[in-house]
Amino acid sequence: MKKSLFSTAAGLMLFFYLFSCSENVIETIDESKLTDKVSKKSLSSITNPWKDNPYKVNIVYFVPNDLDTIPDYKGRLSRIMLQLQEFYGKNLQNAGYGYTSFGLDLSSDTSVNILTVHGKNGKSSYPYSGGGSAVITELNEYFNLHPDQKKSSHTLIIMPSYYTDPLKPGGPPFYGMGRNCFALDYPGMDIDKLGIPGTEGYLATKWIGGLAHELGHGLNAPHNKELKGEHSTLGTALMGAGNSSYGKSATFLTKATAAIFSTSETFSTITRNDWYQGKNHRLSSIKAEVIDNKIILTGRYLSNAKVNSVSVYHDPFPAGANKDYDAVTWASAPINNSSFKIECPLDKFHTRNGDYEMRLTFIHENGNIVRYTYKYKFENEHPDIEKISNKDFIDRTHWEIVETDNEESGAAKNVLDFDPATTWHTRWRSPVKLLPHHFIVDMKSQHQIKGFGFMNRSNQTDCIKDIELFKSNDNINWASIGKYELILQKNWQYIDLPQQESMRYVKLKVTKNHASNQFVHLAEFAAY
Ligand code: ZN
């Protein structure tokens, strides 16, 4: 009997997105209910609260060699950036992260240092589609020659409109690419135009709001949408359709977006030398339940760095969907840097039918983001999300390894220690110990076993493939309970036994690994 294993559809996705944004999403809103229109007050008398942030967003004005700068770009863009800085600060405060915002390189309290960089080529070399890479290549050359002018790893690149008609701006790249993002400038782009009726006001929201939204991408945020019901109270999420509401109607940052910014380099008041370095994060367990019309997610994790917040994105995901714009999100602080609980009321979802993708997101204090992705489905308005839960494992706190053929490169007891970072590893140095390999677990008393759980280490080379399981009640007389195959995946995977089996001892025998090498390893082993 050889079975292919069915497992939770979960994958680990480290982040590096190319964000492309729709420019023309228009929403209507009841202005009378708005709570937070963008402030237009003069900033001249205020000392910038973030002037001492050690990292500043690089603001670059990149000019193709057949175009000129647009009059007063430094003054207009300074006002826009300072207003935006305050907008981000207020929103982080509202989300519970304090009055923090991105740093700007200031020459005075009202003036931002804008680096003007002249392109080697004409505008046709920097088209909307594909032109971003060419700009970034030249900009990297510029920063290599002038390293002191680079104030962080985050850069907003603003380019003059390619079109002569001031009422029809457009042309250059306009999106986020990693920690770089693009916006454009045109003669009427000024905060005084925000919110006024007619074309000028429409354009100001579209292009200043667009800049605000793209900057969000450049500061690590993906798209998301306000929860159902929030539109009338908080307005439009900036990282959703906020590029069509900023300055015109209430626009805000969701808690999930604010959580990401709060650990973004340019928001920091301290220096670090490990910004965005990958952390060894593993989910030890996850449970998803639907109780009182809420999805309740709980679980445990291990990481070699502090997790500042845990958020979840529920993203309607029908085939061909406009990915992630309409994801509803929740964020929470972790509990004791080891577990989490997030409640997602179903009445806050905009749609409750069809396919969904859930992205569980762990944001480390150094800005490193680790995402775990799950698929589920709504049927009759009910999500089948329980299926992503771990099995309900039998307590293995007191279990023991009583035999193994080899553990020269990692003790077999590591599979019982609840720490996915430690592994059973047979000798891999020459002379390698040959397959098969095995260990025996004493579960200390007889248990009725429905199945077993296995977790690979994070480096998935040479993971276990073919196994046979045996049962015993005395560690002398053994009976096979089947041959199975494990797959290459990081999260828990399960073997459901054809029928429940009673045993005290279980033996795992490995006959083959995925790379056809002779050594094997395993991070965790459990039973249910
Ligand atoms: Zn976008």
Side-chain angles (χ1 to χ4, degrees), residues 19-21 213-214 217 223 239 325:
F19 296 105
S20 58
C21 309
H213 174 107
E214 299 312 330
H217 289 321
H223 292 129
M239 298 316 293
Y325 270 103

Side-chain angles (χ1 to χ4, degrees), residues 122-385:
K123 57 183 180 288
S124 64
S125 295
Y126 316 107
Y128 173 86
S129 182
S133 301
V135 173
I136 289 168
T137 300
E138 286 188 38
L139 203 52
N140 288 340
E141 289 170 13
Y142 179 89
F143 281 134
N144 283 339
L145 289 172
H146 307 92
D148 56 311
Q149 294 184 20
K150 190 173 185 185
K151 307 294 183 185
S152 75
S153 63
H154 296 272
T155 303
L156 168 63
I157 302 152
I158 302 165
M159 297 174 68
S161 170
Y162 291 180
Y163 307 137
T164 48
D165 184 342
L167 295 180
K168 288 184 179 158
F174 205 93
Y175 35 74
M177 286 181 79
R179 291 192 268 282
N180 297 294
C181 57
F182 290 87
L184 67 69
D185 185 30
Y186 66 98
M189 185 153 136
D190 200 319
I191 53 172
D192 291 341
K193 301 284 196 294
L194 283 172
I196 67 171
T199 305
E200 285 184 312
Y202 164 77
L203 289 175
T205 282
K206 175 174 175 176
W207 297 107
I208 298 173
L211 181 153
H213 174 107
E214 299 312 330
L215 179 64
H217 289 321
L219 297 172
N220 306 331
H223 292 129
N224 68 167
K225 187 181 171 98
E226 62 277 5
L227 302 177
K228 189 176 181 183
E230 280 184 341
H231 201 248
S232 59
T233 53
L234 296 172
T236 308
L238 180 68
M239 298 316 293
N243 51 347
S244 63
S245 65
Y246 182 83
K248 183 173 72 178
S249 60
T251 306
F252 75 107
L253 303 178
T254 63
K255 285 194 167 68
T257 299
I260 287 173
F261 292 153
S262 74
T263 58
S264 185
E265 184 187 21
T266 60
F267 290 68
S268 179
T269 56
I270 59 163
T271 57
R272 311 183 64 92
N273 54 21
D274 67 340
W275 283 111
Y276 306 128
Q277 280 177 20
K279 295 299 175 189
N280 191 355
H281 185 282
R282 299 296 302 275
L283 258 187
S284 321
S285 67
I286 182 168
K287 187 171 191 179
E289 301 166 281
V290 182
I291 300 171
D292 293 340
N293 277 315
K294 291 176 193 164
I295 293 175
I296 298 180
L297 297 165
T298 51
R300 299 182 64 79
Y301 63 86
L302 283 145
S303 182
N304 60 345
K306 183 168 181 267
V307 170
N308 274 24
S309 54
V310 187
S311 56
V312 64
Y313 289 61
H314 291 279
D315 192 2
F317 213 74
N322 186 3
K323 196 178 172 187
D324 78 4
Y325 270 103
D326 45 5
V328 285
T329 58
W330 285 266
S332 73
I335 305 158
N336 299 327
N337 198 33
S338 60
S339 58
F340 61 91
K341 180 176 184 180
I342 307 178
E343 297 192 3
C344 314
L346 291 173
D347 63 359
K348 303 293 185 191
F349 285 63
H350 294 275
T351 58
R352 277 178 284 171
N353 54 63
D355 292 321
Y356 261 74
E357 182 176 283
M358 184 183 97
R359 293 184 289 276
L360 185 62
T361 303
F362 294 84
I363 306 167
H364 291 89
E365 63 179 349
N366 74 334
N368 174 242
I369 298 174
V370 177
R371 292 186 175 92
Y372 298 86
T373 302
Y374 304 84
K375 304 271 197 232
Y376 68 95
K377 195 183 284 251
F378 274 93
E379 257 170 59
N380 301 320
E381 304 217 327
H382 184 86
D384 64 348
I385 199 160

